[in-house]
C-alpha cells in the first residue's frame, strides 16, 4: 500500500510519533501539526512536539512542500535542518506555544536565516514566537532572505524600530504582511511599509500605538486604504515596571489597496484615516 503524501495530526503525537512518520513516510509532501491541548479530552495526554520531532521530519521527509506546526520547544538547529533537507518547501508556518516555561534556545536568529536561505522556493512564511524569540539581527536576516516570499506572518519578533526598518528594506516582493504582538512604534510601522513597494495588504495587531494614528499617514499612497483601531483608554500611555512602553494588543492597523475607495461597512471602533 502506498504511503500518504499528506498528514494532519495533533501535537499529542509527540516527537516519538513524528520520528515514526519521518522513518516511514518518505514521500510526504504536506504535514500539519495542530495544537491538541485545545481539546479538553486531550489535556492530560502526554506529548508535545519539539526540535527533536521537527528534525526527524526534516531528515526523513525530504519531499515536503508544506509544514505547519504548533511546537512546545524549538532550536536553531531544528530550523537549520529544515533549510538543509527540505529544498522543495514553499509554505512554512511555525507557532511556538507558551505551555513550557523555558525554551531551550532563543533567539532563533541563525535558524531563521538558515531556513530561509536553504528553502529558496518559499512563498508563504509564518513565525509566531514568544518575547525574545527573534532579535533585530534575526529580523534583518528574514528581510535579506525573503526575496521569493509573498505572504508573511510574524509574531513577537524584533527588539527595536531599527529591526523593523532593516527587515522592510529586504522585502521587495512581499505582497501580504501580518504582524502581531510586536514592540514597534507607529512611525516605524509607517516608514517600514513605505519601503515595501509590492505590498498590497498589511494588518498589525498589538504595537506602540497613539490615540489618533497620526503617524500612519506617512504611508499614505494612491488607492491605499488605511483603517485604524485606537488603543483602549485603560492601557494607552501605560508603561511596564521596567519603563518600556506597554504594547496594547487592541490597537490595530489595516491597510490595503482598493480601486473602490473607502468602504462604508467598517465597525464603529474603526477610524478610516485614508482616504479622508
Amino acid at each position: 500500500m502506498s504511503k500518504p503524501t499528506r498528514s494532519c495530526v495533533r501535537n499529542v503525537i509527540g516527537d516519538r510519533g513524528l520520528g515514526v512518520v519521518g522513518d516511514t513516510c518518505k514521500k510526504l509532501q504536506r504535514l500539519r501539526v495542530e495544537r491538541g491541548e485545545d481539546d479538553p479530552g486531550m489535556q492530560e495526554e502526554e506529548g508535545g512536539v519539539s526540535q527533536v520531532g521537527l528534525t526527524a521530519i526534516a531528515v526523513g521527509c525530504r519531499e515536503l512542500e508544506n509544514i505547519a506546526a504548533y511546537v512546545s520547544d524549538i532550536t536553531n538547529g531544528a530550523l537549520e535542518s529544515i533549510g538543509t533537507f527540505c529544498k522543495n518547501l514553499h509554505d512554512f508556518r511555525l507557532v511556538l506555544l507558551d505551555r513550557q516555561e523555558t525554551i531551550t534556545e532563543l533567539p532563533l536568529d541563525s535558524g531563521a536565516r538558515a531556513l530561509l536561505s536553504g528553502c529558496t522556493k518559499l512563498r508563504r512564511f509564518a513565525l509566531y514566537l514568544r518575547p525574545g524569540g527573534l532579535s533585530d539581527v534575526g529580523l534583518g536576516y528574514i528581510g535579506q532572505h525573503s526575496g521569493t516570499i509573498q505572504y508573511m506572518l510574524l509574531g513577537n519578533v524584533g527588539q527595536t524600530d531599527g529591526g523593523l526598518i532593516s527587515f522592510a528594506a529586504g522585502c521587495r516582493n512581499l505582497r501580504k504582511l501580518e504582524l502581531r504582538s510586536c514592540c514597534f512604534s507607529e512611525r516605524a510601522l509607517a516608514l517600514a511599509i513605505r519601503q515595501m513597494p509590492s505590498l498590497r495588504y498589511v494588518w498589525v495587531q498589538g504595537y506602540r500605538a497613539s490615540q489618533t494614528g497620526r503617524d500612519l499617514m506617512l504611508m499614505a499612497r494612491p488607492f491605499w486604504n488605511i483603517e485604524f483601531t485606537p488603543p483602549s483608554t485603560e492601557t494607552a500611555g501605560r508603561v511596564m515596571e521596567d519603563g518600556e512602553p506597554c504594547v496594547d494588543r487592541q490597537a490595530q492597523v489595516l491597510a490595503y489597496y482598493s480601486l473602490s475607495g473607502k468602504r462604508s461597512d467598517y465597525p464603529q471602533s474603526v477610524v478610516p484615516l485614508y482616504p479622508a
Side-chain angles (χ1 to χ4, degrees), residues 189-236:
L189 284 170
L191 294 176
I193 291 168
R194 283 182 58 180
Q195 290 190 71
M196 294 182 272
S198 300
L199 205 60
R200 295 296 181 266
Y201 173 97
V202 59
W203 177 54
V204 184
Q205 181 185 51
Y207 67 101
R208 285 157 39 207
S210 70
Q211 281 293 316
T212 61
R214 58 187 180 276
D215 286 337
L216 295 174
M217 291 301 295
L218 293 171
M219 65 180 179
R221 63 186 76 166
F223 307 111
W224 191 242
N225 282 14
I226 305 174
E227 300 176 5
F228 172 61
T229 301
S232 62
T233 56
E234 288 79 6
T235 56

Side-chain angles (χ1 to χ4, degrees), residues 91-142:
D91 190 337
F92 176 82
R93 307 178 209 184
L94 182 139
V95 177
L96 179 58
L97 299 172
D98 56 6
R99 291 176 58 190
Q100 196 160 307
E101 184 175 347
T102 303
I103 302 302
T104 299
E105 185 180 17
L106 294 178
L108 298 169
D109 297 350
S110 62
R113 177 178 57 179
L115 189 152
L116 289 170
S117 61
C119 301
T120 58
K121 297 180 181 180
L122 273 177
R123 296 294 182 270
R124 298 172 64 89
F125 179 74
L127 200 60
Y128 200 113
L129 303 174
R130 290 162 56 167
L134 202 71
S135 74
D136 283 348
V137 173
L139 198 52
Y141 288 155
I142 291 179

Side-chain angles (χ1 to χ4, degrees), residues 227-230 263-272:
E227 300 176 5
F228 172 61
T229 301
R263 66 188 177 111
S264 60
D265 60 345
Y266 48 81
Q268 289 185 349
S269 59
V270 172
V271 179

Side-chain angles (χ1 to χ4, degrees), residues 49-79:
V49 169
S50 74
Q51 60 273 6
V52 176
L54 281 187
T55 301
I57 286 293
V59 174
C61 305
R62 303 191 182 191
E63 296 187 18
L64 275 169
E65 298 177 358
N66 184 308
I67 298 176
Y70 288 87
V71 300
S72 301
D73 198 4
I74 191 65
T75 61
N76 284 290
L79 297 179

Side-chain angles (χ1 to χ4, degrees), residues 175-194:
R175 297 180 64 85
K176 182 176 180 180
L177 174 66
E178 297 183 10
L179 295 173
R180 303 181 190 177
S181 303
C182 296
C183 62
F184 312 123
S185 70
E186 203 164 77
R187 182 179 180 84
L189 284 170
L191 294 176
I193 291 168
R194 283 182 58 180

